Amino acid sequence: MMANRLVGLRNQIVRSFSTSTALLQGTSAAQSALPNPTEGPSLVAPPIPVFGLEGRYASALFSAASKQKKLDQIDADFQKLDRLLTQNKAIGDLFRNPGVTREQRMALINEIGVSDMTRATLETLVDNRREKKLVKFVSVMNRLMAANRGELICRVITAKPLDDKLRSELDSVLKQFSKKGEKVNVETTVDPSIMGGMIVEVGDRYIDMSISSKIK
């Protein structure tokens, strides 16, 4: 069944990603009008376009880190945050929980242990009541930093582990979405709850081809 899905995977991804790209382009004008408290007068352009409020925070942080030559430090911070949020979803839930105080959120940030620049950005996120954006902000920042390293992050969720043949076929399909000279970094995760099929995320593009989503 999985092999049959991989045969038409590229066409499904192309169709779905084309739709999501059009939606992003349609909302970008409205999003650009949103205020960004961290944005300075002259930004260093990020390596890829990022959208939404979380994208504006990410662009501002990238610019500041670039000017201060701290991109490697910021990159390490957000890889660490991504691992923590992936391994322990309760952390993300704490930031979304309205019953958690600012002091408790800041104590958690300090406990995680990140650089001063990253901590200041997260503090701004909290002070401006944008803490619910934390998970998306971390995701956007990691995509941005991966692009800066010349990588394209692809995340794939399947109900069962992929065998070597299927993994090779999937890698080949996903590589077609990369730019010339761009390294494709494929991360696979097993989640039996999706029942079958797969969920694919390539950069800022997302497609849910799981059986559970079709049932819903």
Side-chain angles (χ1 to χ4, degrees):
M1 183 177 181
M2 182 67 73
N4 291 334
R5 287 184 177 278
L6 281 171
V7 172
L9 175 61
R10 186 179 188 282
N11 289 337
Q12 292 183 61
I13 293 176
V14 169
R15 287 196 298 271
S16 296
F17 286 174
S18 295
T19 302
S20 64
T21 299
L23 289 173
L24 280 174
Q25 291 173 341
T27 59
S28 61
Q31 290 168 332
S32 65
L34 291 171
N36 182 357
T38 65
E39 186 174 311
S42 59
L43 290 176
V44 175
I48 55 173
V50 286
F51 303 92
L53 187 64
E54 56 272 16
R56 296 174 73 82
Y57 275 88
S59 295
L61 179 56
F62 178 86
S63 178
S66 180
K67 290 177 180 178
Q68 296 186 35
K69 302 186 185 305
K70 293 183 177 180
L71 284 174
D72 289 345
Q73 189 178 68
I74 297 301
D75 194 359
D77 283 346
F78 279 85
Q79 287 188 56
K80 180 179 183 179
L81 285 167
D82 186 57
R83 287 193 299 271
L84 285 172
L85 290 170
T86 300
Q87 295 167 6
N88 191 346
K89 293 184 178 180
I91 294 177
D93 292 338
L94 281 173
F95 275 86
R96 286 188 289 265
N97 187 339
V100 177
T101 66
R102 177 196 183 279
E103 289 70 26
Q104 289 172 321
R105 291 190 177 101
M106 290 312 305
L108 180 57
I109 289 172
N110 291 329
E111 200 175 306
I112 289 172
V114 291
S115 68
D116 290 345
M117 186 175 287
T118 296
R119 186 173 66 250
T121 303
L122 297 179
E123 185 173 3
T124 302
L125 204 74
V126 171
D127 286 344
N128 287 285
R129 301 181 182 277
R130 306 295 187 182
E131 56 270 8
K132 291 182 180 180
K133 294 284 187 179
L134 174 70
V135 175
K136 286 187 177 181
F137 172 52
V138 171
S139 176
V140 168
M141 197 66 201
N142 271 292
R143 282 196 287 105
L144 197 157
M145 296 310 301
N148 189 60
R149 297 193 303 269
E151 296 181 8
L152 174 66
I153 295 179
C154 304
R155 288 176 170 157
V156 180
I157 301 174
T158 55
K160 297 179 180 179
L162 297 172
D163 59 32
D164 291 343
K165 181 181 178 181
L166 292 177
R167 174 58 191 264
S168 178
E169 291 178 6
L170 180 61
D171 287 349
S172 178
V173 169
L174 294 175
K175 193 172 183 179
Q176 297 178 49
F177 293 92
S178 64
K179 299 176 183 177
K180 185 177 181 180
E182 193 173 43
K183 178 184 176 182
V184 178
N185 184 352
V186 182
E187 302 172 4
T188 58
T189 304
V190 175
D191 182 359
S193 69
I194 73 171
M195 300 172 67
M198 64 177 66
I199 298 172
V200 182
E201 182 182 343
V202 182
D204 64 344
R205 297 166 292 186
Y206 178 92
I207 176 173
D208 188 342
M209 297 183 291
S210 65
I211 290 178
S212 61
S213 68
K214 292 184 178 180
I215 291 175
K216 290 177 183 177

